Amino acid sequence: MENIEIARRLEELADLLEIQGANPFRIRAYRNAIRTVSGLTRPLSEVAAEDALTDLPGIGKDIGGYIGELLDTGKLSILDEVTAEVPRELATLTRLDGVGPKKARKLWKELDVTTPDELEAAAKEGRVAALSGFGQKSVEKILRAIEDFRKHQGRFLRAEAVQYLRPLLVHVEGVEAIRRLEVAGSYRRGKETVGDIDLLALVEGDDDRAGVMEAFTTFPGVDRIEMSGETRGSVVLTSGLPVDLRILGPESYGAALHYFTGSKEHNVEIRKRAQKRGLRVSEYGVFEEEGKGGDDGDANSDPHAGRRIAGATEEEVFGALDLPFIPPVLRENRGEIQAADQGALPKLVEADQLRGDLHMHTTWSDGRDSVRAMAEACRDRGYAYMAITDHSQAVTVARGLTPERLREQWVEIDEARDQVEGIQILRGCEVDILKDGSLDLPDDVLAELDIVLVAVHSHFDLDQATQTERILTALRHPLVDILVHPTGRLINRREPYALDMEAVLQAALEHDVAVELNTNPRRLDLHDRHLFRARELGVPVVISTDAHRTAQLAYVDEGIHQARRGWLEAGDVLNTRDRDGMQAWLKRREG
Ligand code: DGT
Ligand code: CA
Ligand code: CA
């Protein structure tokens, strides 16, 4: 069992115990332990093998035992005990904005509400507002949260799906008969969330299929089997992630890979292009139309009508349509077929082209590691430069820095500059944009920083005109370098604030400000369409992690997909520049 799944189970346990009314100290201890588990870079199974679980910070005998049980059996008996008393769905309820464990308990005990549907009904009948501790305002907030919840229900962050999927891939790949095993679908297109996983296995002989399907359905992480046929199987993992497997022969593997990679919209355009050439594309291959017309191009029509001219590889499929290979991240029908046709596909940026990370936090605000530790970790990643960018004072929940504390931090940054060689450490700050668009630090302090990031952390609910003007005011400030996590969204949790993004990007262009692609998997902000537009306008993009601990510097490896989905090339990304190039940009307004 992977760390992330263990963390998820323990979290569910903590939520349910809290609803049950357990000792708050015990709950707090559990939550600390969960943070340790989520932040760990080594697999817990390794730590357990060394008998060292309880050596980890915050992990005592209780939790150590639970982790051991999960690793050994995949089960957690205490969770069964608790769910015998507290309905399991209540844990979901606490995920809704505005409903904590205390409120969930009250809703359950007094109104017998356990699910979002029941909560919505109760709220609309006025029964929730009548409870003590729930005002009309909080009821409205809850109703909005339920709407958001429904919108995202069942979609997994890709970065999480990666971790749920990995052990399954290892398990299935162990089957001798498999020549290729690939993930298609939205996952392969690098989308920020995935609804399900579409797996394709290439197997030479028909006789080998049964063994592959057997391995797939008997994977220990399978919670239930939805179907299991000769060439197609469908399971749900214990994480809740649904996975489809299709088994294919060599002659049609490439066509199936293309078809099941999608997107649907891309596939439709590909089929139209084929039709113009008198060809028919399906998941089985590219076929020459035979004599009679009347074929509607339905992918499920008889695969053997006509002569197959391509299908073994995707390159072959594209080639049959006079196209070069189109990278999966571009297959969203946003002009990629035309670009391919004209030989104008972008040379997409790669993670190893990045020369530095310009957004990260330390123990000076809400980060978990020291300036020096972050610097060493950035150096170890091979970066030429980095910026320390803790929060400014207005962000009190993150222990934001006053000018005085910021100056104290500079002493420590100077020390780190001496201690950690081979990397340039920029003095930065993630300066809060106040409600009126002014900045949270005085100009004389900003002027002493090497790099100034600005961001919104409050008043998310302003109307669009006001919110946009607030941000434009900040962008007009002559000391601002980067607007970070520009839309403020948290995927599946918080919608972006109302913003005229076109106006923001135009202003960024006019005032020589860069925009961020924040690669925190919950943010991925800006997202692909905005990145595409930034590139069109020529607004430089900075790809940074917003790491709050050293391990999170790796967020870039997964987040890079979003940049590629936005068609970004290395030249569009500011932090692909070498140290001199970056220095030159930071001094762009001088002289
Ligand atoms: P997801 O799972 O919601 O994150 O998104 P996808 O894109 O993985 O969609 P999924 O799993 O329903 O189907 C995988 C691919 O199969 C999809 O991207 C394109 C192809 N596909 C599925 N249904 C259709 C269809 O009705 N027409 C066409 N042209 N392609 C389809
Ligand atoms: Ca899918
Ligand atoms: Ca699917």
Side-chain angles (χ1 to χ4, degrees):
M1 194 176 272
E2 300 271 300
N3 292 2
I4 181 174
E5 206 175 320
I6 292 173
R8 219 175 51 89
R9 296 287 186 91
L10 293 176
E11 213 167 289
E12 191 181 9
L13 176 64
D15 288 344
L16 292 172
L17 283 171
E18 198 167 355
I19 295 167
Q20 196 180 34
N23 179 337
F25 292 103
R26 182 174 169 208
I27 303 292
R28 196 175 317 151
Y30 283 15
R31 302 240 185 248
N32 277 334
I34 292 163
R35 260 199 297 280
T36 298
V37 170
S38 325
L40 213 61
T41 40
R42 294 178 65 199
L44 280 163
S45 50
E46 257 179 55
V47 183
E50 292 166 10
D51 227 359
L53 284 174
T54 49
D55 296 346
L56 294 170
I59 302 216
K61 238 181 69 206
D62 275 17
I63 298 268
Y66 301 154
I67 294 174
E69 188 189 351
L70 280 169
L71 287 168
D72 291 343
T73 67
K75 294 196 173 16
L76 191 56
S77 42
I78 182 174
L79 194 57
D80 295 338
E81 286 163 30
V82 178
T83 49
E85 220 182 284
V86 185
R88 196 165 191 164
E89 310 87 76
L90 281 171
T92 311
L93 221 51
T94 63
R95 294 280 133 71
L96 296 174
D97 205 16
V99 186
K102 285 207 186 66
K103 286 192 171 167
R105 179 183 170 85
K106 195 160 218 166
L107 291 165
W108 166 47
K109 288 283 183 192
E110 299 193 21
L111 300 179
D112 201 23
V113 158
T114 58
T115 65
D117 284 350
E118 290 167 3
L119 178 53
E120 184 180 41
K124 290 192 168 157
E125 290 161 15
R127 289 187 285 137
V128 177
L131 288 179
S132 71
F134 291 81
Q136 191 51 44
K137 252 200 142 146
S138 79
V139 171
E140 277 162 27
K141 188 171 176 189
I142 288 171
L143 284 173
R144 275 200 306 276
I146 294 173
E147 247 173 68
D148 286 351
F149 170 80
R150 294 225 176 91
K151 237 184 276 170
H152 306 302
Q153 209 174 7
R155 291 199 73 81
F156 291 74
L157 291 187
R158 185 183 189 282
E160 278 175 17
V162 169
Q163 300 179 62
Y164 297 142
L165 186 60
R166 197 180 300 131
L168 172 68
L169 293 181
V170 171
H171 176 84
V172 177
E173 265 165 358
V175 180
E176 181 79 32
I178 291 190
R179 296 279 163 271
R180 281 174 79 175
L181 182 68
E182 270 162 294
V183 188
S186 52
Y187 181 98
R188 184 163 180 246
R189 302 199 309 280
K191 270 193 80 162
E192 58 206 29
T193 62
V194 298
D196 73 352
I197 295 294
D198 307 282
L199 272 182
L200 301 182
L202 170 55
V203 169
E204 303 268 353
D206 293 354
D207 301 343
D208 294 329
R209 289 177 178 164
V212 175
M213 195 51 74
E214 168 84 11
F216 176 63
T217 53
T218 58
F219 171 62
V222 166
D223 182 62
R224 57 182 191 276
I225 301 169
E226 300 281 331
M227 71 155 284
S228 161
E230 198 187 325
T231 59
R232 204 183 142 198
S234 196
V235 302
V236 179
L237 303 182
T238 52
S239 52
L241 183 68
V243 185
D244 286 344
L245 171 70
R246 288 183 175 78
I247 304 177
L248 299 136
E251 65 294 338
S252 56
Y253 183 80
L257 183 57
H258 176 265
Y259 179 82
F260 291 109
T261 294
S263 67
K264 216 172 188 168
E265 294 74 17
H266 167 90
N267 287 354
V268 168
E269 287 305 305
I270 285 285
R271 234 177 290 158
K272 282 190 200 154
R273 184 178 174 96
Q275 273 161 13
K276 281 194 201 132
R277 288 170 160 68
L279 299 172
R280 194 169 55 79
V281 179
S282 77
E283 61 195 278
Y284 303 100
V286 183
F287 299 89
E288 276 176 343
E289 293 281 18
E290 232 154 46
K292 288 187 222 118
D295 191 293
D296 62 1
D298 177 0
N300 296 318
S301 59
D302 179 7
H304 303 296
R307 189 171 70 86
R308 186 200 312 265
I309 60 164
T313 64
E314 279 191 324
E315 283 80 358
E316 220 180 86
V317 171
F318 284 120
L321 304 174
D322 306 313
L323 291 173
F325 180 84
I326 300 177
V329 285
L330 297 184
R331 300 184 199 167
E332 298 289 348
N333 192 30
R334 295 178 185 163
E336 72 277 10
I337 295 174
Q338 193 188 3
D341 184 65
Q342 295 167 353
L345 285 172
K347 267 186 76 147
L348 300 174
V349 63
E350 316 257 1
D352 64 10
Q353 291 176 310
L354 299 178
R355 297 284 167 262
D357 194 326
L358 296 177
H359 186 175
M360 70 192 70
H361 298 265
T362 71
T363 44
W364 283 86
S365 65
D366 57 348
R368 303 274 275 179
D369 289 310
S370 66
V371 171
R372 180 174 178 173
M374 295 305 278
E376 285 169 346
C378 284
R379 178 203 58 198
D380 293 348
R381 292 187 69 87
Y383 289 150
Y385 50 82
M386 61 182 287
I388 297 290
T389 57
D390 279 301
H391 287 285
S392 64
Q393 53 198 0
V395 190
T396 48
V397 289
R399 303 195 306 122
L401 301 177
T402 59
E404 293 70 36
R405 295 256 301 139
L406 195 60
R407 287 179 196 282
E408 287 170 35
Q409 186 191 43
W410 295 346
V411 176
E412 193 169 315
I413 289 178
D414 282 340
E415 283 166 15
R417 284 172 174 165
D418 290 338
Q419 291 158 340
V420 189
E421 281 173 27
I423 184 160
Q424 180 188 32
I425 308 174
L426 299 171
R427 229 188 225 179
C429 185
E430 180 179 0
V431 184
D432 190 49
I433 302 176
L434 302 176
K435 191 177 177 193
D436 65 358
S438 62
L439 300 184
D440 188 27
L441 287 174
D443 286 359
D444 62 319
V445 178
L446 296 179
E448 284 192 65
L449 291 168
D450 299 321
I451 188 164
V452 175
L453 279 47
V454 293
V456 163
H457 298 97
S458 63
H459 304 288
F460 297 125
D461 51 0
L462 302 180
D463 65 72
Q464 174 166 318
T466 315
Q467 191 71 277
T468 303
E469 189 48 38
R470 173 190 188 187
I471 291 178
L472 295 194
T473 303
L475 296 185
R476 284 182 210 115
H477 192 292
L479 293 169
V480 168
D481 295 307
I482 311 173
L483 174 66
V484 301
H485 47 73
T487 78
R489 73 162 176 175
L490 295 177
I491 299 172
N492 290 4
R493 292 211 181 134
R494 186 171 76 208
E495 294 294 303
Y497 30 79
L499 204 58
D500 178 351
M501 187 51 73
E502 179 64 21
V504 169
L505 291 174
Q506 296 279 1
L509 183 68
E510 183 185 343
H511 301 292
D512 236 340
V513 173
V515 292
E516 181 183 63
L517 160 57
N518 184 304
T519 60
N520 180 310
R522 244 263 175 242
R523 289 192 180 272
L524 294 172
D525 182 7
L526 290 174
H527 62 71
D528 47 23
R529 286 188 174 278
H530 294 146
L531 294 169
F532 187 91
R533 182 63 182 145
R535 166 182 153 88
E536 241 172 14
L537 289 171
V539 177
V541 174
V542 171
I543 302 178
S544 287
T545 60
D546 198 355
H548 282 65
R549 57 179 79 213
T550 54
Q552 292 179 350
L553 292 165
Y555 280 165
V556 64
D557 300 323
E558 176 63 31
I560 192 80
H561 296 304
Q562 194 80 338
R564 295 162 60 84
R565 288 175 56 81
W567 294 51
L568 297 190
E569 302 187 325
D572 305 316
V573 179
L574 200 57
N575 52 327
T576 59
R577 295 184 176 209
D578 63 13
R579 191 186 294 193
D580 289 346
M582 181 54 79
Q583 267 314 312
W585 187 80
L586 289 172
K587 295 193 183 310
R588 67 200 177 286
R589 292 180 182 126
E590 291 171 20

